[in-house]
């Protein structure tokens, strides 16, 4: 089964073809970051228009790369939520129309299920059950995964997601959007003994929920104090970036270890844009090795939004006989717990 995957939930247009026998055949990602950077965040209307402009040409490119024609496709999977409504509509409309013209099944895929299953595109993949840390600009969640569609939410952010906190902290010190990679780059030159210390939110109490709003406020306070004392220079920016990154990473690592111990599991996957953070990966591998745990993640290009994860997730459900009606509605909000389990 050759499945065309379309990802248009936010500011990346991702197109891919996944073959259930041969694996990933081809994929392409077009990022809108440069368009949105001048606004300091994603402008939904601009995102929607760009998906309309880019999706069909990228489909042609991916088919050519795979050496296929549209007639070779077995099914189409597209992101139907959660995400920006206009952006989702662009991909869903194209996906459903193309499937109808080819007389093949179409399936609306949950965006976060795509991220959760992205590590399955790699040669080294975890067996289920495992714990998933979904960490991006819009989501920070810990989920127990027993099978595809059988998910138990263990904890989530009560306010800002980790990626959103990175973006806002970066903006406070004059860094471009998206902020995570710029914070990480500055942190490489930071002094760990600078004396700048930030809290590890909600790690001093039971539970697996997250909160990054207080950390963000502490960061802003430190910036204002440095400005008042005329200490706000390039070295200070590197030092505060390191302190902030360490606080976020430590918080995520503590909660991941707690989740594994609570659920009596040893396998963790991390997915979403923040999962590409080098310090987070190193700390998770180091800390979880001490309890016999192992960490799995997707290659960096599949940490951000991409069509490969949608094609793969869709293929698993299509193989199980699922498809979506033509009048399927897209969903800006869509809990993972609403999904139907397969393979159980």
């Amino acid at each position: 089964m050759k499945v065309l995957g379309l990802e248009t939930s936010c500011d990346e247009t991702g197109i891919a073809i996944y073959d259930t026998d041969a694996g990933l055949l081809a994929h392409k990602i077009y990022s809108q970051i440069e368009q949105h950077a001048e606004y300091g965040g994603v402008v939904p209307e601009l995102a929607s228009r760009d998906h309309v402009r880019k999706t069909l040409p990228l489909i042609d490119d991916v088919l050519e790369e795979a050496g296929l024609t549209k007639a070779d496709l077995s099914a189409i999977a597209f992101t139907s939520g959660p995400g920006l409504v206009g952006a989702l509509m662009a991909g869903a409309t194209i996906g459903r129309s193309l499937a109808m013209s080819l007389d093949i099944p179409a399936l609306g895929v949950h965006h976060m299920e795509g991220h959760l299953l992205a590590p399955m595109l790699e040669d080294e993949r975890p067996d289920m059950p495992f714990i998933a840390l979904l960490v991006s600009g819009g989501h920070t969640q810990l989920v127990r995964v027993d099978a595809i569609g059988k998910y138990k939410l263990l904890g989530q952010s009560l306010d800002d997601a980790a990626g959103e906190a990175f973006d806002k902290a970066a903006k406070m010190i004059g860094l471009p959007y998206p902020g995570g990679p710029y914070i990480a780059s500055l942190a490489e030159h930071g002094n760990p003994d600078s004396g700048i210390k930030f809290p590890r939110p909600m790690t001093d109490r039971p539970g697996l929920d997250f909160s990054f709003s207080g950390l963000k406020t502490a960061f802003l306070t430190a910036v204002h104090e440095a400005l008042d004392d005329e200490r706000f220079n390039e070295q200070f920016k590197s030092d505060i970036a390191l302190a902030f990154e360490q606080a976020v990473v430590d918080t995520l690592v503590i909660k991941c270890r707690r989740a594994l111990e609570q659920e009596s599991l040893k396998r963790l996957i991390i997915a979403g844009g923040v999962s590409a953070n080098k310090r987070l990966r190193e700390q998770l591998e180091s800390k979880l090795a001490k309890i016999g745990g192992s960490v799995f993640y997707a290659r960096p290009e599949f940490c951000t939004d991409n069509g490969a994860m949608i094609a793969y997730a869709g293929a698993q459900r299509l193989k199980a006989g699922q498809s979506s009606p033509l009048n399927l509605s897209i969903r800006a909000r869509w809990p993972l717990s609403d999904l139907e389990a397969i393979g159980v």
Side-chain angles (χ1 to χ4, degrees), residues 23-328:
L24 186 64
L25 301 183
H27 76 95
K28 289 187 178 294
I29 303 172
Y30 170 75
S31 175
Q32 304 174 2
I33 283 177
E34 289 186 7
Q35 294 185 50
H36 300 290
E38 63 179 298
Y39 303 101
V42 177
V43 181
E45 181 64 23
L46 293 180
S48 304
R49 291 178 182 179
D50 221 33
H51 288 309
V52 171
R53 185 168 64 93
K54 286 292 185 180
T55 300
L56 287 173
L58 283 174
I59 290 174
D60 290 338
D61 289 347
V62 167
L63 284 168
E64 182 179 358
E65 182 180 322
L68 303 174
T69 68
K70 292 184 178 72
D72 295 314
L73 297 175
S74 309
I76 296 175
F78 56 88
T79 305
S80 57
L84 302 175
V85 171
L88 291 168
M89 282 297 296
T93 302
I94 292 171
R96 286 185 293 183
S97 300
L98 186 56
M100 181 184 292
S101 70
L102 297 172
D103 194 26
I104 57 177
L107 179 73
V109 174
H110 193 293
H111 177 73
M112 296 311 295
E113 181 169 69
H115 275 304
L116 188 152
L117 296 177
M120 298 300 187
L121 290 163
E122 306 303 326
D123 293 333
E124 186 178 359
R125 60 185 71 176
D127 295 325
M128 298 180 186
F130 56 74
I131 300 295
L133 171 66
L134 303 178
V135 57
S136 65
H139 301 271
T140 303
Q141 297 178 331
L142 280 166
V143 181
R144 179 184 172 114
V145 179
D146 287 292
I148 295 177
K150 189 175 182 181
Y151 308 130
K152 176 185 176 184
L153 180 63
L154 303 176
Q156 61 185 333
S157 179
L158 304 178
D159 39 62
D160 291 351
E164 186 179 5
F166 272 119
D167 291 340
K168 291 180 177 179
K171 188 174 182 179
M172 292 175 197
I173 55 175
L175 298 178
Y177 170 86
Y182 291 100
I183 289 282
S185 180
L186 262 186
E188 292 180 3
H189 307 288
N191 177 9
D193 298 317
S194 68
I196 302 174
K197 300 293 182 184
F198 291 122
R200 277 53 175 166
M202 297 184 71
T203 59
D204 59 348
R205 67 192 74 176
L208 296 170
D209 286 330
F210 302 89
S211 172
F212 295 104
S213 62
L215 177 58
K216 181 183 62 180
T217 301
F219 185 92
L220 181 61
T221 299
V223 169
H224 283 166
E225 289 176 350
L227 288 169
D228 291 341
D229 297 340
E230 299 183 352
R231 292 181 291 109
F232 190 84
N233 53 31
E234 289 305 310
Q235 186 57 52
F236 173 82
K237 289 168 66 174
S238 295
D239 293 344
I240 198 172
L242 175 59
F244 185 81
E245 183 184 50
Q246 287 177 324
V248 174
V249 166
D250 286 352
T251 300
L252 294 172
V253 170
I254 290 168
K255 295 285 185 170
C256 286
R257 177 168 176 166
R258 187 178 295 177
L260 288 171
E261 292 174 340
Q262 173 184 300
E263 299 298 310
S264 300
L265 295 176
K266 296 294 184 181
R267 293 179 292 273
L268 174 82
I269 70 109
I270 55 172
V274 180
S275 70
N277 182 277
K278 181 180 178 181
R279 191 179 305 274
L280 175 60
R281 292 189 177 202
E282 290 174 348
Q283 288 297 307
L284 279 172
E285 290 177 359
S286 172
K287 300 297 184 183
L288 298 189
K290 295 178 180 179
I291 61 170
S294 52
V295 187
F296 301 82
Y297 34 73
R299 70 196 77 166
E301 63 194 299
F302 293 156
C303 291
T304 56
D305 295 348
N306 64 88
M309 70 184 192
I310 301 303
Y312 177 84
Q316 309 315 304
R317 291 188 172 276
L318 287 158
K319 281 197 305 181
Q322 295 186 11
S323 63
S324 299
L326 289 176
N327 62 350
L328 173 74

